[in-house]
């Protein structure tokens, strides 16, 4: 079925990267496009006035976004040389010297309370394993790295997807010397069900208009230091606007008392599903239920071709549940753990803590304390209910609550800024965009773990900057995700279990048969059908 083009209310986050910018009438206006940065000479002149911006709940996250938590704490220090100058990435905003980050006036949508999803679910359940959006054919004579060389990688070429059309993105290193010869005897897993070959070019995907609707928060929950979960906002932290006063702070403070994040397994997903039941959120017209982490992986795979991942795929009552799978990691060194802690320490420095006196060192940082926002959104035709861990919140001058993502990175120089914008900013943008987070605060540190400066980024500006430099495009990520979700929904069967994996040599997404469903999902489906009955015993 062909869907008519729709206006994208998330254009304000996409900025000029959106194909619909010239036509969008729902994007919120803003007066400034520059990020603000604070240097070591800056000092805060205002403290946060948004203590009442939180609705007064307590809570904890519960495994919502464990990989993104580690991303924020680890810069790795392995940036490749880049050609761009660091000065091009810093802002000359007038507020930089004060270290205070004001928010632009934003117009409220008249239909803010309107249901985003409508009632076309019946048609969606008939979706084929192809995107409902047509893919334009490239002009004759088009030539680039994705279409040159022997064998060609255009539509219906050598690596068609087996479904009557092209796959998604091209194999790395196509043509001579590419993967065609080395991996022609590729052995499929015996659990193999279906595959989506990555042979469609980024140029083709960039010409798709994939609608992404503004995430709407439905509920939230929190995990406190004891590990107990509350379906309220008590775990939500308030952003500290005068964070620049901490320039020079040592991120190593409190490391000896750091409590690392424990792997909750499906228990974390169970807490997320429990918050859905506690709020009586209907899943009748919901196609995907997932943590944000899984959407990060899918959108990121449009460009990131060297990081393996997998996730569980379980279809129950017409809804596909995507379960986070954690792959084995190499043993961490003390420096790895310390760098991870630096991210958590910065989160503590950048948020208000009534229990910590002014100038007092950070101590007893617990990575398990979390706040998770539960939002509904729509990507293309796919309705998604998503849990996303939020670092902190603040208020605009008009009293609107907004979430802010907190990240750390090694200080940039002429050699490393290029890789930062190509790779790290892509991850930052995806994570914030899909959850509707408008601002990111980055704390830059030196190799010893001391805070050098801070910089506030607007999510909508990141994609525009990357597109201008031809690094990556946000709409390519959305178009890629639309293809993947269409393929998944049109392939998986009711009451069956699968594993979706993306592994070396990163030429395809593979759907494998799984033998079981996590207890958290089985219990959730059981309790939806029998609300007064006790949970099922563990399998």
């Amino acid at each position: 079925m062909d869907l008519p083009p729709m206006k994208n209310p998330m254009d304000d986050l996409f900025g000029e990267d959106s194909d619909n910018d010239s036509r969008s009438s729902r994007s919120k206006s803003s007066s400034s496009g520059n990020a603000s940065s604070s240097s070591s000479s800056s000092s805060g002149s205002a403290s946060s006035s948004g203590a009442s911006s939180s609705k007064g709940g307590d809570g904890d996250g519960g495994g919502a976004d464990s990989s993104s938590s580690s991303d924020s704490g680890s810069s790795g220090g392995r940036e490749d040389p880049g050609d761009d100058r660091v000065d091009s990435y810093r802002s000359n905003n007038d507020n930089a010297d004060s270290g205070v980050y004001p928010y632009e006036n934003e117009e409220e949508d008249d239909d803010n309370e309107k249901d985003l999803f409508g009632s076309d679910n019946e048609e969606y359940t008939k979706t084929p394993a192809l995107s409902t959006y047509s893919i334009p054919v490239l002009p004759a004579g088009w030539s680039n790295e994705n279409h040159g060389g022997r064998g060609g990688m255009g539509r219906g070429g050598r690596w068609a997807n087996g479904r009557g059309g092209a796959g998604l993105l091209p194999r790395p290193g196509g043509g001579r010397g590419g993967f065609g010869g080395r991996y022609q005897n590729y052995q499929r897993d015996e659990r193999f069900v279906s595959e989506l070959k990555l042979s469609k070019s980024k140029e083709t995907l960039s010409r798709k208009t994939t609608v992404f609707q503004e995430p709407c928060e439905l509920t939230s929950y929190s995990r406190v230091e004891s590990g107990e979960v509350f379906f309220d906002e008590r775990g939500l932290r308030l952003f500290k606007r005068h964070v620049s006063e901490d320039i020079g702070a040592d991120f190593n403070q409190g490391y000896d008392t750091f409590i690392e994040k424990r792997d909750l397994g499906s228990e974390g997903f169970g807490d997320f599903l429990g918050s859905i039941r506690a709020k009586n959120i209907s899943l009748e017209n919901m196609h995907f239920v997932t943590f944000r982490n899984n959407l990060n992986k899918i959108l990121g795979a449009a460009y990131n071709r060297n990081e393996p991942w997998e996730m569980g795929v379980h279809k129950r009552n017409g809804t596909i549940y995507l379960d986070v799978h954690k792959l084995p990691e190499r043993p961490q060194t003390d420096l790895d753990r310390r760098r991870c802690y630096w991210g958590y320490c910065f989160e503590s420095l950048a948020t208000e803590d009534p229990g910590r006196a002014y100038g007092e060192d950070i101590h007893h940082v617990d990575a398990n304390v979390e706040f998770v926002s539960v939002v509904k959104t729509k990507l293309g035709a796919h309705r998604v209910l998503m849990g996303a861990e939020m670092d902190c919140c603040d208020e605009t001058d008009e009293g609107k609550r907004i979430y802010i993502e907190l990240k750390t990175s090694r200080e940039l120089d002429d050699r490393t800024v290029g890789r930062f914008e190509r790779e790290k900013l892509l991850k930052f943008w995806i994570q914030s965009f899909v959850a509707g987070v408008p601002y990111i605060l980055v704390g830059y540190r030196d190799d010893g773990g001391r805070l050098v400066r801070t910089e506030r980024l607007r999510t909508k500006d990141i994609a525009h900057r990357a597109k201008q430099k031809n690094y990556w495009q946000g709409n390519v990520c959305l178009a890629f995700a639309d293809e993947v979700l269409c393929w998944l929904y049109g392939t998986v069967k009711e009451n069956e279990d699968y594993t979706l994996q993306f592994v070396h040599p990163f030429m395809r997404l593979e759907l494998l048969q799984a033998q079981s469903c996590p207890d958290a999902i089985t219990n959730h489906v059981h309790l939806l059908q029998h609300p007064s009955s006790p949970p099922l015993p563990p399998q």
Side-chain angles (χ1 to χ4, degrees):
M1 58 181 178
D2 291 329
L3 298 181
M6 299 173 61
K7 294 180 180 179
N8 188 351
M10 289 298 281
D11 283 341
D12 63 323
L13 288 185
F14 248 120
E16 298 181 31
D17 188 39
S18 172
D19 291 335
N20 290 331
D21 263 359
S22 60
R23 295 180 284 111
S24 174
S25 60
R26 296 187 55 180
S27 62
K28 297 173 184 176
S29 62
S30 58
S31 60
S32 171
N34 293 329
S36 303
S37 66
S38 63
S39 66
S40 57
S41 61
S42 61
S43 60
S45 61
S47 60
S48 175
S49 59
S52 61
S53 64
S54 161
K55 291 182 229 174
D58 303 31
D60 167 75
D65 234 336
S66 59
S67 67
S68 60
S69 295
S70 61
D71 284 345
S72 69
S74 173
S75 70
R78 299 185 296 272
E79 290 85 349
D80 289 336
D83 296 330
D84 298 289
R85 296 194 60 80
V86 65
D87 290 340
S88 66
Y89 197 69
R90 297 181 181 174
S91 170
N92 293 321
N93 190 289
D94 293 338
N95 294 302
D97 290 337
S98 68
V100 180
Y101 300 121
Y103 303 106
E104 293 77 8
N105 294 329
E106 296 181 347
E107 298 175 359
E108 293 291 338
D109 291 334
D110 293 335
D111 55 348
N112 197 35
E113 300 300 322
K114 182 180 178 181
D115 191 325
L116 298 176
F117 297 144
S119 58
D120 59 345
N121 189 69
E122 183 177 348
E123 289 299 319
Y124 177 82
T125 58
K126 303 173 185 176
T127 185
L130 285 171
S131 173
T132 54
Y133 295 95
S134 60
I135 308 297
V137 179
L138 290 176
W142 185 274
S143 176
N144 61 14
E145 87 264 12
N146 293 331
H147 293 81
R150 182 179 176 183
M153 289 182 249
R155 294 182 55 144
R158 198 170 153 195
W159 291 312
N161 62 14
R163 296 182 283 102
L168 288 185
L169 299 177
R171 294 187 181 188
R176 279 183 196 173
F179 287 153
R182 291 176 61 193
Y183 296 103
Q184 56 185 351
N185 295 322
Y186 175 77
Q187 296 295 317
R188 284 179 174 169
D189 192 297
E190 62 182 9
R191 301 167 295 164
F192 177 83
V193 175
S194 181
E195 68 179 12
L196 192 61
K197 293 184 178 179
L198 310 187
S199 58
K200 188 169 291 180
S201 74
K202 296 181 181 70
E203 287 73 22
T204 297
L205 289 172
S206 70
R207 284 161 174 76
K208 288 183 58 177
T209 300
T210 304
V211 175
F212 187 87
Q213 291 190 335
E214 182 175 5
C216 172
E217 186 174 63
L218 302 181
T219 187
S220 59
Y221 66 95
S222 309
R223 190 183 308 278
V224 296
E225 291 182 354
S226 65
E228 189 174 0
V229 172
F230 296 88
F231 299 127
D232 54 34
E233 298 182 340
R234 70 186 67 185
L236 179 58
R237 294 180 290 185
L238 187 63
F239 175 63
K240 185 170 67 177
R241 293 185 180 178
H242 52 283
V243 61
S244 60
E245 291 185 357
D246 290 305
I247 295 296
D250 185 0
F251 288 161
N252 294 288
Q253 55 182 298
Y255 176 65
D256 56 338
T257 58
F258 175 48
I259 302 175
E260 297 185 64
K261 182 181 285 291
R262 66 184 183 93
D263 185 7
L264 295 171
S266 64
E267 178 186 343
F269 200 41
D271 296 331
F272 169 43
L273 299 177
S275 71
I276 296 172
R277 297 193 304 273
K279 189 68 174 179
N280 294 318
I281 298 172
S282 173
L283 299 181
E284 182 179 356
N285 286 332
M286 205 63 66
H287 304 124
F288 292 89
V289 175
T290 179
F291 276 130
R292 172 176 57 180
N293 180 270
N294 286 324
L295 289 185
N296 293 347
K297 293 173 182 176
I298 292 173
L299 270 74
Y303 288 94
N304 191 336
R305 309 298 298 280
N306 55 18
E307 289 187 9
W309 52 260
E310 68 176 41
M311 64 185 71
V313 182
H314 313 274
K315 191 172 186 179
R316 300 293 185 271
N317 299 326
T319 298
I320 293 180
Y321 296 85
L322 301 179
D323 185 32
V324 173
H325 285 188
K326 187 175 181 181
L327 294 178
E329 299 177 346
R330 64 175 176 80
Q332 282 193 325
T333 65
D334 181 70
L335 181 58
D336 292 332
R337 289 190 295 270
R338 190 172 292 272
R339 283 175 172 166
C340 180
Y341 172 73
W342 290 347
Y344 289 110
C345 184
F346 178 65
E347 290 180 6
S348 296
L349 284 172
T351 53
E352 300 286 358
D353 182 2
R356 182 164 61 93
Y358 179 79
E360 182 182 352
D361 284 350
I362 300 293
H363 54 82
H364 300 300
V365 174
D366 189 342
N368 298 285
V369 175
E370 299 172 328
F371 170 81
V372 177
S373 173
V374 178
V375 302
K376 67 176 180 179
T377 186
K378 192 174 182 182
L379 194 162
H382 320 286
R383 298 182 183 88
V384 180
L385 188 64
M386 174 177 59
E389 181 182 352
M390 298 297 181
D391 292 331
C392 61
C393 73
D394 200 358
E395 273 190 349
T396 65
D397 292 338
E398 291 73 34
K400 178 183 177 181
R401 187 172 80 180
I402 59 173
Y403 291 116
I404 298 175
E405 192 71 32
L406 302 174
K407 296 292 185 184
T408 56
S409 176
R410 186 186 185 190
E411 176 61 302
L412 305 177
D413 55 32
D414 293 350
R415 184 178 57 86
T416 59
V417 66
R419 182 176 179 182
F420 177 83
E421 293 184 330
R422 282 192 305 269
E423 299 178 9
K424 220 165 189 183
L425 280 189
L426 174 61
K427 294 181 179 180
F428 290 2
W429 177 81
I430 291 174
Q431 182 177 351
S432 297
F433 177 83
V434 297
V437 178
Y439 293 97
I440 304 167
L441 183 74
V442 184
Y444 295 94
R445 49 90 183 165
D446 62 21
D447 290 337
R450 286 194 176 274
L451 181 61
V452 176
R453 63 183 177 97
T454 63
E455 180 176 24
R456 190 191 69 177
L457 307 174
R458 289 202 301 179
T459 303
K460 72 171 187 178
D461 294 336
I462 294 176
H464 176 53
R465 182 180 302 145
K467 182 178 180 180
Q468 282 186 320
K469 296 188 176 183
N470 201 29
Y471 287 154
W472 49 267
Q473 296 184 49
N475 55 329
V476 168
C477 298
L478 291 175
F480 180 89
D482 175 51
E483 297 278 347
V484 173
L485 296 184
C486 279
W487 167 64
L488 278 180
Y489 203 92
T491 303
V492 303
K493 297 179 180 179
E494 182 69 25
N495 293 321
E496 292 197 5
D497 306 297
Y498 308 84
T499 297
L500 176 64
Q501 69 173 18
F502 185 50
V503 295
H504 182 81
F506 306 105
M507 299 183 297
R508 54 177 62 81
L509 293 174
E510 292 183 316
L511 194 63
L512 310 178
Q513 197 75 49
Q515 299 302 315
S516 62
C517 180
D519 291 340
I521 298 175
T522 302
N523 269 321
H524 171 70
V525 174
H526 171 74
L527 292 173
L528 287 178
Q529 298 171 340
H530 310 283
S532 59
S533 64
L536 296 173
Q539 296 287 322

